[in-house]
Amino acid sequence: MSGPILVTGGFGYLGGRIVCGLVAAGHRVRVTTRRAPAAYPGWAAKVEVRDEPIDTGGWAGVLNGVAAIVHLAAANEIDCGRDPAGCVEPNVTAAIRLIEAARAAKVGRFVYFSTAHVYGAPLEGRIDETRLPRPIHPYAITHRAAEDFVLAAHDQGWLEGVVVRLSNGFGAPADSGIDRWTLLANDLCRQAATQGRLVMRSTGLQRRDFITLADVAGAVVHLLGLPRATLGDGLFNVGGAYAPTVYEMAGLIAQRAQALLGREVEIERPQPRPDETAAPLDYRIDKLKATGFAPAGDVAGEIDATLRLCREAFA
């Protein structure tokens, strides 16, 4: 690409790993952030950092020369649950403003990160991009609304819009200061490293599609490099094609922790009822695969990296 790639939320949980993946792939990256310079991560020296007041529409300077945008900045599921009305501004209105600014600045591609939870809850059965979205949680509802603005801009030829419906990304953040340890797999890794046991709040029979952050970053690099004609309607499920039960995931984390930390890790959970079973989940990524991308699926490697970070940062 001739210009840099702008990543909003580039110092966040997904953003940090995606930015590092883009840099490793040879891209120039520009990051927007609200952090004070003293709080920049160590790897920030590899990217261009802008701290303009973009909330008030100051995108013009930030977008100067930008070839593509990866839009990640948004309120998370916890904040959306606490304040559904308050999450409309950061998750929907801000996305619309950025789309309009990108069109004015003639930015080529716009990759928007949405969530698999636009399909509803719980996620069960076969899920491909043809399933009718039925979001329930405010976080998913706002992402669904922003999706439509991106895809409408794509359909009208204002920019090359790509919507990523991400399943459950997990793994080590780019720096330990990022607080996303409420995510299931990350929380279990932290428990294994700090407590030596995994305490689950449920029986763990529900299935989830997990994708490593390494594969999320790889998917972004891939989607940015696709020819326009290959994007089709611009909508892609992005998952790991790996849907164990939560209890099975906990078991794998316990095994990796034992191998890495040298101690047995017990799992505590409420016992399932005799008639309780795991509903199937098949989160399809056929459209993404048809463009030439397949996740590497190094789940054990991502767990090991997360355990190491937890051991160094928290143990």
Side-chain angles (χ1 to χ4, degrees):
M1 290 187 172
S2 57
I5 298 168
L6 173 69
V7 181
T8 69
F11 286 167
Y13 175 61
L14 289 176
R17 289 289 298 271
I18 289 172
V19 167
C20 291
L22 289 169
V23 171
H27 292 289
R28 289 186 291 142
V29 178
R30 183 177 296 171
V31 171
T32 58
T33 184
R34 295 178 179 177
R35 290 195 194 185
Y40 289 178
W43 50 266
K46 299 178 182 178
V47 302
E48 178 188 357
V49 183
R50 295 291 188 92
D51 58 359
E52 279 90 345
I54 54 179
D55 290 354
T56 57
W59 283 112
V62 176
L63 294 180
N64 184 33
V66 164
I69 295 171
V70 179
H71 185 41
L72 295 159
N76 64 33
E77 74 281 3
I78 298 173
D79 292 336
C80 290
R82 290 172 179 159
D83 184 9
C87 69
V88 173
E89 169 64 32
N91 288 15
V92 183
T93 307
I96 296 170
R97 289 177 177 149
L98 182 55
I99 292 167
E100 292 172 341
R103 181 189 181 192
K106 302 187 184 307
V107 174
R109 190 155 298 181
F110 190 107
V111 178
Y112 175 74
F113 261 75
S114 183
T115 170
H117 294 287
V118 299
Y119 292 114
L123 295 177
E124 294 178 353
R126 178 186 171 92
I127 301 175
D128 64 19
E129 293 86 347
T130 66
R131 177 183 281 203
L132 181 66
R134 195 73 174 181
I136 294 174
H137 194 278
Y139 175 75
I141 293 170
T142 53
H143 275 295
R144 177 73 180 92
E147 283 185 4
D148 281 347
F149 284 95
V150 176
L151 295 177
H154 175 79
D155 290 345
Q156 295 177 87
W158 294 351
L159 43 75
E160 296 171 358
V162 177
V163 168
V164 170
R165 288 179 174 168
L166 182 67
S167 64
N168 290 276
F170 80 97
D175 67 274
S176 60
I178 296 172
D179 185 12
R180 291 301 281 150
W181 299 103
T182 56
L183 298 174
L184 175 74
N186 292 1
D187 174 49
L188 293 174
C189 287
R190 182 172 177 170
Q191 288 189 49
T194 60
Q195 303 173 17
R197 64 192 179 106
L198 307 182
V199 180
M200 299 173 59
R201 292 186 290 272
S202 72
T203 61
L205 291 187
Q206 65 275 31
R207 293 190 182 277
R208 294 189 183 181
D209 182 282
F210 291 99
I211 178 171
T212 68
L213 289 195
D215 281 333
V216 174
V220 172
V221 172
H222 174 77
L223 289 167
L224 286 170
L226 283 180
R228 167 67 179 84
T230 310
L231 294 178
D233 64 8
L235 178 61
F236 294 93
N237 284 353
V238 174
Y242 170 66
T245 67
V246 169
Y247 183 62
E248 289 169 342
M249 186 62 161
L252 178 58
I253 290 172
Q255 290 176 13
R256 297 310 309 165
Q258 184 170 352
L260 191 69
L261 307 177
R263 62 185 182 190
E264 188 172 347
V265 176
E266 297 181 354
I267 302 175
E268 299 178 13
R269 65 164 179 165
Q271 289 302 304
R273 302 186 311 272
D275 61 342
E276 191 173 353
T277 58
L281 172 61
D282 185 11
Y283 194 68
R284 305 300 304 180
I285 57 171
D286 303 72
K287 282 182 69 178
L288 181 63
K289 284 184 173 180
T291 68
F293 178 83
D298 185 8
V299 175
E302 192 75 58
I303 290 172
D304 287 358
T306 310
L307 288 167
R308 290 191 191 95
L309 185 148
C310 290
R311 180 177 59 187
E312 294 168 3
F314 307 119

